[in-house]
Amino acid sequence: MTAQAPASPPHSQDVLARLAAVIETRKVANGGDPSASYVARLLHQGPDAFLKKIGEEATEVVMAAKDADHGADPTKIVNEVADLWFHCLIALAHYGLAPADVVGELERRAGTSGLEEKALRKALVRDAQGG
């Protein structure tokens, strides 16, 4: 009898996909109850509600990073990024998008210089505007 290998940690894309699936169930159209679910409430209130939370959470990420620069616990950054990502997942769900769409975009950009990629996007916008 051979020993089984220890279970590997869940792949981040799998975790995001599972969380996105739960968020989908919280949509009012899918039976989500705004009086019983935070996510359902945010989705029911509309973009202003969850976009405001994204702004707040992004600010908290910045504040946690600045605090870490001055000796605070850097793991606070992880907690704040988790909150930010969670609220971004709500926005993705609202707009009919999924974490896989973001991962696909990151994979598309992998291996490309950030400066080159940004210049290409600017050129595409300029071309689209006829200039």
Side-chain angles (χ1 to χ4, degrees):
M1 188 169 177
T2 60
Q4 290 185 346
S8 60
H11 188 272
S12 60
Q13 188 171 345
D14 295 338
V15 171
L16 293 173
R18 284 196 311 272
L19 187 52
V22 171
I23 290 169
E24 283 294 322
T25 70
R26 300 302 194 265
K27 289 181 174 180
V28 174
N30 296 333
D33 180 359
S35 68
S37 165
Y38 172 73
V39 171
R41 186 175 329 127
L42 280 178
L43 288 167
H44 179 70
Q45 290 173 341
D48 285 350
F50 59 77
L51 294 175
K52 179 180 177 185
K53 286 301 297 179
I54 289 171
E56 290 171 5
E57 299 302 341
T59 299
E60 290 175 11
V61 169
V62 171
M63 292 175 4
K66 295 299 251 175
D67 289 347
D69 286 339
H70 297 283
D73 182 1
T75 60
K76 177 95 162 94
I77 300 167
V78 172
N79 295 332
E80 297 302 343
V81 170
D83 290 344
L84 175 61
W85 285 13
F86 176 76
H87 289 89
C88 288
L89 289 172
I90 294 170
L92 288 171
H94 174 80
Y95 293 108
L97 301 167
D101 298 315
V102 177
V103 170
E105 177 61 13
L106 290 171
E107 287 174 344
R108 184 191 69 76
R109 293 180 187 186
T112 303
S113 158
L115 297 174
E116 290 173 14
E117 202 275 335
K118 186 174 180 178
L120 176 60
R121 277 188 286 150
K122 282 185 177 181
L124 291 172
V125 168
R126 191 173 45 248
D127 289 348
Q129 294 174 344

